Amino acid sequence: EDNWVWVSLGNLYQFVNDFDRAIQAYEKSLEMFEYDLTSTLSLASIYQNHVVDLEKAEMYYKKAIDINEDSADLYDRLAKFYYQKVKDVDAAEAIYLKGLEKTNNHPDLINDIIHFYGWVKKPEEQKKFIKIILELYPENTKFQKEFGHLLEEK
């Protein structure tokens, strides 16, 4: 038996907002293949947004990172979860910093932490990472246009 049958069922149930059955399908998928990222992230999302259980959501986001610790996107998801849902700025910041270390300063994650520091009103930290991204990617005009003016503000 293939776990993708269960993933597909979970997707279908999630699409029609039958979250209890979606959870059952995704959990069955994980019984068959515990490292399935699709099921893991789907469960995190369901527990974050629909059948609210923030402890389970956190557990699944952390499991997703354990499955693929090189993914900048997974660190961003967990950090945003901490910041937006749990309202824990320190935990969000710690995840961003851990993600930067694990992904060797992935540009998407540097971009994410720059925005995060803007949201939490930490301009000095924001400027530190703006300098880093501009030094690492001087040829990227998008970064210069988006962030260059923030270095000039006092």
Side-chain angles (χ1 to χ4, degrees), residues 110-129:
I110 299 173
N111 184 57
D112 295 334
I113 200 170
I114 290 169
H115 288 289
F116 168 75
Y117 282 132
W119 299 328
V120 299
K121 312 255 186 285
K122 289 188 173 183
E124 293 310 311
E125 291 298 315
Q126 186 182 42
K127 287 178 183 178
K128 174 180 144 187
F129 282 96

Side-chain angles (χ1 to χ4, degrees), residues 60-121:
Y60 284 111
Y61 280 124
K62 286 181 174 180
K63 180 179 177 175
I65 289 172
D66 289 342
I67 292 169
N68 185 0
E69 69 177 12
D70 298 331
S71 172
D73 176 61
L74 299 179
Y75 291 99
D76 183 50
R77 288 180 192 217
L78 180 56
K80 283 181 178 164
F81 166 78
Y82 282 135
Y83 175 63
Q84 295 171 349
K85 286 291 187 179
V86 182
K87 309 297 184 204
D88 188 339
V89 171
D90 293 336
E93 182 178 31
I95 290 299
Y96 276 125
L97 294 172
K98 178 182 176 185
L100 286 167
E101 179 184 324
K102 293 286 188 178
T103 65
N104 197 25
N105 285 330
H106 192 285
D108 292 344
L109 212 47
I110 299 173
N111 184 57
D112 295 334
I113 200 170
I114 290 169
H115 288 289
F116 168 75
Y117 282 132
W119 299 328
V120 299
K121 312 255 186 285

